[in-house]
Amino acid sequence: MTIANLHDLHRPLGSTGLTVSPLGLGTVKLGRDQGVKYPNGFQIPDDDAARMLLRQARELGINLIDTAPAYGRSEERLGPLLRGQRQDWVIVSKVGEEFADGLSRHDFSAAHTRMSVERSLQRLETDFIDLVLVHSDGNDLAILEHEEVYATLGALKAEGKIRGFGFSGKTVEGGLKALEQGDCAMVTYNLNEQNEKAVIDYAAAHGKAILVKKALASGHVCLSPGVDPVRASFELLFAQAGVASAIVGTINPLHLAHNVATVAQVLRGH
């Protein structure tokens, strides 16, 4: 029996020139277990478990990995874990949010944005990051209109330190504005929350990229008996032409394999 995989289902990430798997691996659970909203507690995996998870993801055809400075030690762990594999991964990181001593703080200044990207390059042991997203605090329009973060990311792209940039926000207005000048928006879209659909539609019409966060409602989704919530979630997502990939942060190998198999079935129309 062949194991379901995503190797032949990779798709363009908007107009960035990057090609990504329809499922991406979120890595908050590799670096942070405080102040996270999951229905069940979890233990941060050790290096061996993390290495096996990454190998499994790669073998299943996942090439997209999502991290952030706000994910605790995630970036600095991924650097050594991904040594020798840089060409196998499209790496997404963030700027704007810092997490320390159990608290988040935000800084969207030019100086902090540049420092953050340089630090991510060092931690990830790479010369470039494929995509850097602004980690919004919810004041999406204010960040885009009054802060220096987007202009700084544009400069870093021109310097070759990042290949694309965009915005992980919380509002339709922010998502639409972010896509006017940026390459990608990360939106929440799932069976419980669909109010950012206008951003997905705009992206589809303008050749921009959409990554979906909380695709499985962070594990909270409940449906009628007999309906597979994972399948229903991915059917909803991939019915949208603008969606490039869904980021799912699991550290459970069985969940990862099930998610991949389900996405493969949905996209192949089985």
Side-chain angles (χ1 to χ4, degrees):
M1 175 182 145
T2 55
I3 296 172
N5 66 68
L6 304 173
H7 286 289
D8 60 342
L9 293 170
H10 289 197
R11 48 221 279 156
L13 184 66
S15 306
T16 62
L18 299 164
T19 305
V20 296
S21 49
L23 198 62
L25 184 66
T27 62
V28 65
K29 290 182 180 178
L30 291 188
R32 171 177 162 184
D33 59 2
Q34 299 173 283
V36 286
K37 299 174 186 139
Y38 292 103
N40 306 306
F42 64 94
Q43 200 168 7
I44 293 176
D46 63 19
D47 280 356
D48 285 340
R51 199 174 283 111
M52 285 173 64
L53 187 80
L54 290 163
R55 184 186 307 135
Q56 178 193 9
R58 210 173 75 208
E59 287 171 355
L60 290 172
I62 292 174
N63 77 332
L64 180 63
I65 197 155
D66 178 75
T67 184
Y71 295 171
R73 294 185 53 241
S74 174
E75 284 186 321
E76 58 196 77
R77 292 192 71 197
L78 284 170
L81 287 167
L82 297 179
R83 268 177 207 155
Q85 303 172 39
R86 183 64 186 91
Q87 70 287 352
D88 298 329
W89 296 99
V90 172
I91 299 177
V92 180
S93 194
K94 323 273 181 357
V95 292
E97 182 179 345
E98 298 286 322
F99 180 80
D101 304 319
L103 295 170
S104 278
R105 64 179 182 83
H106 291 82
D107 186 339
F108 304 106
S109 66
H112 184 270
T113 301
R114 184 168 281 278
M115 181 284 295
S116 181
V117 170
E118 298 279 6
R119 183 185 60 191
S120 294
L121 290 167
Q122 282 187 313
R123 286 176 172 174
L124 291 163
E125 301 183 5
T126 182
D127 298 328
F128 66 94
I129 300 169
D130 295 289
L131 186 68
V132 173
L133 304 176
V134 180
H135 228 158
S136 175
D137 60 2
N139 299 301
D140 294 355
L141 283 181
I143 293 165
L144 289 162
E145 289 172 355
H146 306 301
E147 298 283 359
E148 303 156 314
V149 59
Y150 239 40
T152 308
L153 289 175
L156 288 161
K157 181 178 175 179
E159 292 164 31
K161 291 181 176 174
I162 65 178
R163 288 188 171 177
F165 66 92
F167 200 80
S168 177
K170 301 187 179 172
T171 64
V172 171
E173 299 77 20
L176 293 172
K177 182 145 192 75
L179 286 178
E180 284 175 20
Q181 298 149 0
D183 302 298
C184 179
M186 184 180 268
V187 302
T188 298
Y189 195 73
N190 57 49
L191 293 165
N192 295 342
E193 299 175 76
Q194 292 154 42
N195 55 340
E196 290 178 74
K197 184 176 179 336
V199 183
I200 299 175
D201 293 342
Y202 178 95
H206 294 84
K208 302 284 182 156
I210 292 285
L211 297 176
V212 174
K213 56 187 168 183
K214 301 181 187 157
L216 303 179
S218 297
H220 295 279
V221 74
C222 296
L223 290 169
S224 53
V227 176
D228 176 357
V230 174
R231 173 142 193 157
S233 298
F234 289 136
E235 283 177 342
L236 172 77
L237 277 194
F238 293 114
Q240 314 303 320
V243 171
S245 187
I247 306 295
V248 178
T250 186
I251 50 175
N252 181 319
L254 290 175
H255 288 171
L256 184 61
H258 175 60
N259 289 343
V260 165
T262 306
V263 169
Q265 287 174 344
V266 168
L267 290 175
R268 291 193 174 105
H270 297 319

